[in-house]
Amino acid sequence: MSAHIFVLRMHHPTGAQINEVILRRRKDQQWRDWLDQMAEPMDLRTVQASILVLVQHNLLWHARTEEEGEVLEVNVDECLMRLRFGTFVCQADKLFGTTAAEIIQTILDHGKLRPPEILSHLGAYDPKTTTLYTQTIIKLVTASYLKPATILSHVSPRDKRIQYETEEKAKIVGFPTAKEIREAKEVAEARLRREEEEAEQVGLKRKAKESTSHRSSKVAHHSTYFFSIFLNLLQRKAVEEEVFVVEDTVYFRVNFDKFNIHIRNSLIVKAATERYNADAAMVIQAALKVTESNQKSVSEVRSDPMSVASISLQLSETDLSSGLVFSSKKVPSSAYIKDYLGMLSSADNPTPAGRAGSFVSFSSSKVQVEFDIIGRRLRRRVIESVARERHGVEGVRILSLLMDTGKMDEKQVSKIVMMAPKDVRPLLAALAADSLISTQEVPKSADRNPTRTFYLWYVDLDKAHSAILGSLYKTLYNIRMRRRAEIDASEVKAVLEKRERSDVSQDESLLSRLERDILKEWDTKQRRLTVLETRVEETVFILKDLRVLGINDD
């Protein structure tokens, strides 16, 4: 007899309890059916077609081993990147217009496409529409928002990196030191990056403008020497001028790194607003806008140098007087910008602590946005917020102390944070259980006796980031399951199916009041889940995508 039925028979069941048992049985049956379906052997053609689709969307990598030959590997980063597809389409719409958003959406739906296939999917057949979409494709490729799909993009970079590291380590004579191993990894990484850049130098070709016969006829009609020389120069300039056209045989895919740059820049502007004010955020936003075209990846340590004059051009029509107070009423805008840059560069605090809290570096009239420093600070803020949520203010005090000073034993931590040892000990254990801090054993003797061993506490950033990311991924999964459960609800599903009807979609007044209330409540829940998912994804971006800047964090 089932445990559920036994409990219901022992107690007088209600209708809700009976429905709960029925729902549990239904879910158990669905789970058993799914397991039976997964256990059935799949058709070879179905497997091949599925692999082709996954490869088309860059969700599978090819890898070759000596034992098994060619194998497949899941591209986890590409799977997680699909959560940002809506953000990418919105950014393309803001930057280049509706046509660019449609092109990005089409390529994201199909993985990778050639220009004629893009036009075919968009239904661009008349010359005017075709020209508009073609010009937009050229803009996207020129600005690196679209990049060509090469053979290397389908091969697992991990295998190539391991191969190159092995080749570089083989060149080392004798036992390799830590410095030599690090240099070998850097050389292998640079070699892999160089190969990828060389492979992506396709997709655009130059087309010289042809000189018109109209100008040539004019030269024949004029016999003046200087006038003919002038027209010949114009003809030569027209011939030398080149325009770009996309190659119809090249497959293009979306360059996620370029779109991630905008997400990173928006986080920097948001952080400046929270730290200072809106005017300071406008200044750093203008600085990011100046070098935006030269920013290729979120792994860049800092931006290209720029002058104060170039930032002033971006803010020529902006009033920055509300955020600062001057004794004189007539102050040029460049003075405001320089003061804000001095504030953002922590010029009043030339110490390591001030350097760690800066947004830009400002020296000799050149400005650079420090992506590395800002990324470290954003990641630290995430870790501290998690510690505050789980362990209170005392947990944040201990965590900040260990992040600032390094390894310390329990007595030192208790003394510096001014807490009793009996209060510090459980906090340290709780922080270690959440992988926010770790221990380092320092034995006094070779037998590593615990009684003769020092235990030092420190913050292992990689371990802490991984633990928080795992929790965030579970949260994203729960949000997705909650959204699916809201859609699969019987009353909501019936109303949604009714709204899809052609007559109801044109006139929603055909829905009853109860149905409209159900739709309104469902829309509200969907918006809340979307906002929550966006916030969680933003935290994932800080810890995962900006983490490449802090690989060597102490």
Side-chain angles (χ1 to χ4, degrees):
M1 182 182 295
S2 174
H4 302 284
I5 298 176
F6 179 78
V7 171
L8 290 177
R9 287 185 178 180
M10 292 298 294
H11 303 80
H12 297 289
T14 62
Q17 289 175 331
I18 296 175
N19 291 332
E20 184 178 354
V21 173
I22 295 174
L23 181 61
R24 177 61 180 272
R25 286 179 174 178
R26 187 181 303 161
K27 289 184 177 179
D28 290 343
Q29 185 62 38
Q30 291 176 354
W31 173 250
R32 287 192 294 268
D33 294 342
W34 184 82
L35 289 177
D36 294 339
Q37 183 180 359
M38 291 296 102
E40 294 179 358
M42 297 180 64
D43 183 28
L44 180 60
R45 297 185 62 183
T46 304
V47 174
Q48 292 175 344
S50 302
I51 291 176
L52 286 176
V53 171
L54 293 174
V55 172
Q56 173 73 12
H57 287 269
N58 284 48
L59 299 178
L60 283 183
W61 275 326
H62 294 279
R64 186 173 297 277
T65 61
E66 297 180 357
E67 298 82 6
E68 302 180 4
E70 186 175 4
V71 295
L72 298 173
E73 180 183 355
V74 177
N75 186 354
V76 180
D77 294 339
E78 195 83 15
C79 297
L80 297 175
M81 198 65 67
R82 304 182 80 81
L83 296 173
R84 305 176 193 166
F85 279 6
T87 305
F88 296 162
V89 175
C90 182
Q91 289 175 353
D93 190 9
K94 292 180 180 179
L95 294 172
F96 300 99
T98 308
T99 55
E102 294 176 356
I103 292 172
I104 296 297
Q105 180 68 60
T106 303
I107 297 177
L108 291 176
D109 290 341
H110 296 83
K112 57 181 72 68
L113 291 172
R114 293 176 296 184
E117 296 171 346
I118 297 175
L119 299 177
S120 176
H121 285 292
L122 293 172
Y125 299 107
D126 58 290
K128 184 177 180 181
T129 307
T130 302
T131 303
L132 177 62
Y133 281 112
T134 303
Q135 292 176 352
T136 307
I137 293 174
I138 294 174
K139 291 180 182 178
L140 291 172
V141 176
T142 305
S144 300
Y145 290 93
L146 293 180
K147 64 178 182 180
T150 62
I151 298 176
L152 290 178
S153 62
H154 296 284
V155 179
S156 175
R158 188 180 296 107
D159 295 340
K160 300 283 288 184
R161 189 178 294 108
I162 293 174
Q163 176 186 351
Y164 292 160
E165 288 180 6
T166 305
E167 295 176 359
E168 295 298 328
K169 290 178 182 178
K171 300 177 182 178
I172 301 175
V173 179
F175 189 78
T177 62
K179 181 179 179 181
E180 291 175 340
I181 293 175
R182 185 175 63 253
E183 292 176 351
K185 291 182 178 180
E186 293 175 355
V187 172
E189 187 68 27
R191 180 180 172 184
L192 180 61
R193 191 181 302 110
R194 183 171 61 253
E195 287 185 357
E196 293 176 352
E197 293 176 355
E198 292 175 355
E200 292 177 359
Q201 298 299 323
V202 294
L204 286 178
K205 59 182 180 180
R206 298 179 182 273
K207 180 181 179 182
K209 291 184 179 180
E210 297 180 357
S211 59
T212 58
S213 58
H214 179 67
R215 289 181 177 176
S216 299
S217 61
K218 279 189 175 182
V219 177
H221 286 88
H222 291 275
S223 56
T224 307
Y225 176 73
F226 293 103
F227 189 71
S228 61
I229 292 178
F230 176 71
L231 288 181
N232 286 330
L233 291 175
L234 289 179
Q235 289 180 0
R236 186 179 302 174
K237 182 179 180 181
V239 172
E240 291 177 354
E241 284 182 352
E242 295 176 334
V243 295
F244 289 104
V245 294
V246 292
E247 298 182 13
D248 294 339
T249 58
V250 177
Y251 285 87
F252 289 96
R253 56 189 297 258
V254 178
N255 186 7
F256 299 140
D257 285 339
K258 191 66 177 179
F259 283 101
N260 286 336
I261 287 173
H262 295 279
I263 301 178
R264 179 199 61 190
N265 294 348
S266 64
L267 289 175
I268 293 174
V269 174
K270 182 180 177 181
T273 305
E274 296 175 356
R275 178 77 177 274
Y276 299 107
N277 54 32
D279 292 341
M282 293 175 64
V283 172
I284 196 168
Q285 185 178 12
L288 293 169
K289 192 70 176 178
V290 171
T291 60
E292 190 175 78
S293 59
N294 296 329
Q295 298 172 18
K296 302 301 182 183
S297 174
V298 293
S299 61
E300 295 172 340
V301 177
R302 60 182 58 87
S303 67
D304 293 340
M306 69 198 85
S307 62
V308 179
S310 59
I311 300 176
S312 301
L313 289 176
Q314 296 288 333
L315 300 171
S316 58
E317 299 179 358
T318 305
D319 184 17
L320 301 175
S321 59
S322 60
L324 295 175
V325 177
F326 284 89
S327 58
S328 177
K329 295 183 178 180
K330 296 182 179 180
V331 179
S333 60
S334 59
Y336 286 105
I337 294 174
K338 289 182 179 179
D339 283 352
Y340 276 119
L341 290 174
M343 184 189 307
L344 292 169
S345 62
S346 299
D348 58 339
N349 186 14
T351 62
R355 172 75 174 171
S358 63
F359 284 82
V360 300
S361 58
F362 182 31
S363 61
S364 65
S365 300
K366 293 296 181 180
V367 182
Q368 286 182 291
V369 182
E370 297 291 341
F371 299 133
D372 187 15
I373 297 176
I374 299 172
R376 292 171 187 265
R377 194 162 59 250
L378 291 176
R379 290 191 300 275
R380 173 165 180 164
R381 188 172 65 177
V382 171
I383 297 178
E384 291 179 349
S385 63
V386 172
R388 182 179 292 105
E389 179 184 355
R390 299 179 182 178
H391 308 286
V393 180
E394 292 81 5
V396 178
R397 286 166 58 186
I398 295 175
L399 185 71
S400 300
L401 172 65
L402 295 176
M403 293 180 70
D404 292 335
T405 59
K407 297 181 176 66
M408 302 180 68
D409 64 1
E410 183 180 319
K411 293 181 179 179
Q412 291 176 313
V413 173
S414 174
K415 181 179 179 181
I416 296 178
V417 300
M418 294 183 292
M419 294 174 60
K422 64 182 182 63
D423 297 329
V424 172
R425 190 174 299 110
L427 272 177
L428 290 173
L431 289 169
D434 291 335
S435 300
L436 296 179
I437 62 176
S438 305
T439 57
Q440 175 67 52
E441 298 180 359
V442 183
K444 294 181 181 179
S445 57
D447 58 354
R448 306 183 72 89
N449 192 333
T451 59
R452 293 191 297 272
T453 302
F454 292 108
Y455 293 94
L456 304 180
W457 298 94
Y458 72 103
V459 179
D460 188 345
L461 291 176
D462 290 337
K463 184 178 179 181
H465 293 162
S466 300
I468 298 175
L469 278 174
S471 177
L472 292 175
Y473 290 149
K474 292 179 181 178
T475 303
L476 289 174
Y477 173 79
N478 292 335
I479 294 173
R480 290 278 173 166
M481 292 299 101
R482 176 63 184 273
R483 181 180 281 118
R484 182 181 299 179
E486 293 291 341
I487 295 176
D488 292 341
S490 57
E491 62 276 4
V492 175
K493 190 173 183 180
V495 177
L496 290 176
E497 290 177 354
K498 184 177 180 180
R499 190 173 66 170
E500 293 297 326
R501 285 166 32 186
S502 58
D503 55 341
V504 179
S505 61
Q506 296 176 1
D507 185 11
E508 290 194 358
S509 62
L510 298 176
L511 296 172
S512 64
R513 181 177 179 180
L514 178 61
E515 291 172 340
R516 287 196 296 269
D517 292 341
I518 292 175
L519 280 178
K520 183 178 179 181
E521 183 180 0
W522 179 78
D523 289 335
T524 303
K525 292 180 179 178
Q526 292 297 313
R527 285 196 297 270
R528 291 177 179 175
L529 289 173
T530 302
V531 172
L532 178 59
E533 186 179 26
T534 303
R535 292 176 179 174
V536 176
E537 172 59 29
E538 181 179 290
T539 309
V540 171
F541 179 84
I542 293 174
L543 292 180
K544 185 175 182 298
D545 295 78
L546 296 184
R547 188 180 177 185
V548 295
L549 299 174
I551 292 177
N552 297 323
D553 284 347
D554 295 328

